Amino acid sequence: MARLQAIRGMNDILPDQTALWQHLEDSFRATVDSFGYREIRFPLIEQTRLFRRSIGEVTDIVEKEMYSFEDSGGDHISLRPEGTAGCVRAAEQHGLLYNRQQRLWYQGAMFRRERPQKGRYRQFHQFGVEAFGMAGPDIDAEVIELSAAYWRRLGLGGKLKLELNNIGSAEDRKRYGGALGEYLLSRADEIDAAARSRIHSNPFRVLDSKHPGTRKVADEAPAMAEYLSPESVAHYAALKELLRAAGIRHIENPSLVRGLDYYNYCVFEWTTDALGAQGAVCGGGRYDGLVAQLGGRPTPAAGFAIGIERLALLLETLDRIPPEAQFRADVCLVVLGPATTVAQELARRLREAFPARSVVCQCGGGKYAQQVKRAYDLRADVLVVMEAGEGGPPAEVKLRSLDERFEPRMVTRDQCVAAVGELLSLSPPARQDL
Ligand code: HAM
């Protein structure tokens, strides 16, 4: 039988990468905690109509990218292509939005059947935040500031560009959509067939087309700015002022329309040139109509999601992976000869003394050189070498490093815990202590 492979576009995250993922997760959790956001977890699968109604019928995601199927009970269900819809459904279903503000965050796998390429996968992972019940531009500014604080924590300050656009209120968009549709109809023979088919159903999507002919027509289209209500203009201006006060620079991108239909007022993306075509690391904005559209009371909302794979790729590409985001064992016991019981007992004492440190006790024996090689693979900090001969377990063990950071020394088994403690205090802190 041919060797089984993962489904195209769905990646295994291997042990060499998981330390980086844990670093991204720990840093995100620390960032959202510092802004007072609380975690929510909701299912990977929802009714298909939840996504159709929220993301929009005429979007790439709903038209061609969802993993949708009928289960054995005849229910139409889909793997979640994004988190906002499920988060709103869960918060609304459990009464979290009733007369209250909520600051929520989540993380997890999302699924879109896109054409896989670097930075674009069929199963990918997001961190997201959603804030409910706050209508002013201060919450837009807060979620953007939270994302900026996360970049800084990761050492990416200044490495990502913030792009902003004002896409207006629902009424502004209706008026602008009408005018845009008429304009596109007048130049229909210059644009590609896919764009033409969307003139009536979703003319906004034509604005971020990459097709050269369509691009030219889109660039010459009437500007959204001319159709914005005074409220939309004021909200956007106030947001920009708050960002200026927070020291967060942005550029305005009038063709930023986002691929999901639920947005209004301000939308934004954090982008980079370092990842090629898939340069959007984070996207979000305000979506005041969605809660009511899904059956709840009108509730203002804003949020964003970050693509974790793209973020990991960016740190790798920019060589910004800190030492604590790479796995290493703190202590490795090399066990030579028949000393298993005593070695495991010493390992146990070390783990009890240093609960935040990793202590690997080699199993299965092997020659000294073999065991030292395994210690290299574990990037061990302190080696404890225990050699038992005919006379039983040794009174002393040898402590050494793999990089001559300290002089090798012999200590009695009783002194070992204290001596290892001293050596560990010279080495980088444990992950849990960062
Ligand atoms: P989105 O722009 O569709 O927004 O996705 C957010 C981020 O997820 C993107 O910027 C990108 O980094 C990552 N991403 C999207 N698709 C893929 C893919 N196929 N492979 C790898 N990474 C991908 C949303 O999902 C909205 N729910 C964001 C939001 C939350 N808006 C308001 N609240």
Side-chain angles (χ1 to χ4, degrees):
M1 190 175 119
R3 219 166 51 159
L4 290 171
Q5 303 260 337
I7 295 169
R8 208 163 99 80
M10 310 225 170
N11 298 313
D12 302 304
I13 301 163
L14 300 174
D16 272 349
Q17 298 159 292
T18 45
L20 172 58
W21 278 64
Q22 285 164 3
H23 169 66
L24 296 177
E25 288 160 5
D26 294 348
S27 306
F28 190 72
R29 197 167 303 123
T31 309
V32 287
D33 280 353
S34 78
F35 279 76
Y37 283 62
R38 301 197 316 167
E39 187 181 5
I40 181 165
R41 302 184 187 199
F42 41 86
L44 262 69
I45 298 183
E46 299 270 359
Q47 295 187 45
T48 299
R49 62 196 167 95
L50 170 69
F51 301 119
R52 300 186 85 91
R53 265 166 54 184
S54 51
I55 296 167
E57 295 283 351
V58 190
T59 55
D60 284 348
I61 297 179
V62 167
E63 279 180 332
K64 51 188 187 206
E65 293 171 0
M66 284 212 293
Y67 286 92
S68 300
F69 47 96
E70 198 179 316
D71 72 5
S72 52
D75 288 335
H76 294 274
I77 58 181
S78 297
L79 289 174
R80 62 185 187 189
E82 57 106 49
T84 309
C87 182
V88 169
R89 198 268 314 133
E92 175 53 29
Q93 179 178 336
H94 299 286
L96 304 189
L97 306 182
Y98 188 73
N99 256 343
R100 277 200 273 176
Q101 298 185 345
Q102 285 289 350
R103 288 177 167 82
L104 305 175
W105 73 272
Y106 52 87
Q107 69 168 321
M110 309 291 160
F111 303 84
R112 296 183 194 175
R113 202 176 185 289
E114 297 192 73
R115 199 167 48 77
Q117 55 171 254
K118 181 180 160 196
R120 189 166 72 193
Y121 310 106
R122 291 179 170 177
Q123 175 177 330
F124 61 98
H125 298 78
Q126 287 183 341
F127 295 126
V129 308
E130 313 292 355
F132 298 100
M134 292 158 269
D138 43 358
I139 190 65
D140 305 50
E142 179 182 291
V143 297
I144 293 175
E145 188 172 345
L146 188 158
S147 54
Y150 183 45
W151 312 142
R152 264 203 314 282
R153 209 178 262 270
L154 294 176
L156 289 175
K159 297 286 172 196
L160 288 161
K161 263 193 323 243
L162 174 63
E163 301 186 24
L164 282 190
N165 191 23
N166 184 0
I167 62 166
S169 66
E171 296 75 51
D172 300 347
R173 288 168 70 66
K174 211 174 284 165
R175 282 188 298 129
Y176 177 54
L180 183 62
E182 267 172 40
Y183 163 79
L184 292 172
L185 269 181
S186 74
R187 298 185 64 176
D189 48 344
E190 295 169 64
I191 63 180
D192 64 292
R196 215 175 298 130
S197 71
R198 289 180 164 184
I199 291 180
H200 295 292
S201 52
N202 192 348
F204 307 108
R205 294 296 304 165
V206 179
L207 293 179
D208 68 353
S209 165
K210 295 203 171 70
H211 178 273
T214 311
R215 189 65 263 139
K216 182 166 184 297
V217 174
D219 287 340
E220 292 164 10
M224 173 83 220
E226 293 158 31
Y227 294 82
L228 294 173
S229 59
E231 296 75 36
S232 306
V233 172
H235 187 101
Y236 194 55
L239 168 61
K240 287 193 291 186
E241 181 51 32
L242 287 163
L243 291 178
R244 199 196 54 73
I248 299 172
R249 277 202 302 244
H250 69 272
I251 53 173
E252 297 198 36
N253 177 359
S255 56
L256 179 63
V257 292
R258 310 272 303 130
L260 309 103
D261 277 357
Y262 46 63
Y263 294 107
N264 63 287
Y265 285 1
C266 168
V267 292
F268 65 90
E269 281 185 359
W270 287 95
T271 60
T272 170
D273 296 330
L275 296 181
Q278 305 307 321
V281 173
C282 169
R286 179 168 272 286
Y287 52 96
D288 295 325
L290 184 58
V291 177
Q293 200 178 311
L294 295 178
R297 290 178 164 209
T299 306
F304 68 73
I306 294 170
I308 307 181
E309 282 81 358
R310 290 188 193 173
L311 191 55
L313 265 176
L314 182 62
L315 284 168
E316 272 161 22
T317 309
L318 300 179
D319 212 2
R320 292 277 163 141
I321 301 181
E324 66 268 20
Q326 292 168 23
F327 177 81
R328 74 188 153 78
D330 292 299
V331 183
C332 179
L333 277 84
V334 169
V335 188
L336 302 164
T340 312
T341 313
V342 182
Q344 293 200 334
E345 201 252 338
L346 181 55
R348 202 172 301 128
R349 275 171 41 212
L350 286 163
R351 288 187 196 111
E352 277 162 14
F354 313 113
R357 302 288 190 163
S358 54
V359 176
V360 177
C361 184
Q362 300 234 2
C363 297
K367 295 209 176 77
Y368 182 68
Q370 264 176 338
Q371 294 202 38
V372 169
K373 179 171 177 310
R374 286 185 218 144
Y376 268 108
D377 291 344
L378 295 169
R379 297 156 40 86
D381 221 36
V382 178
L383 255 59
V384 178
V385 184
M386 179 181 287
E387 185 162 13
E390 293 294 304
E396 291 193 323
V397 294
K398 183 177 183 177
L399 304 184
R400 58 161 290 201
S401 73
L402 291 172
D403 54 7
E404 288 160 17
R405 211 165 32 82
F406 56 85
E407 287 289 310
R409 65 199 67 174
M410 298 300 291
V411 294
T412 65
R413 282 195 349 246
D414 282 344
Q415 293 164 336
C416 182
V417 171
V420 167
E422 249 168 61
L423 294 171
L424 287 177
S425 68
L426 306 174
S427 62
R431 242 170 60 80
Q432 288 94 320
D433 296 340
L434 288 170

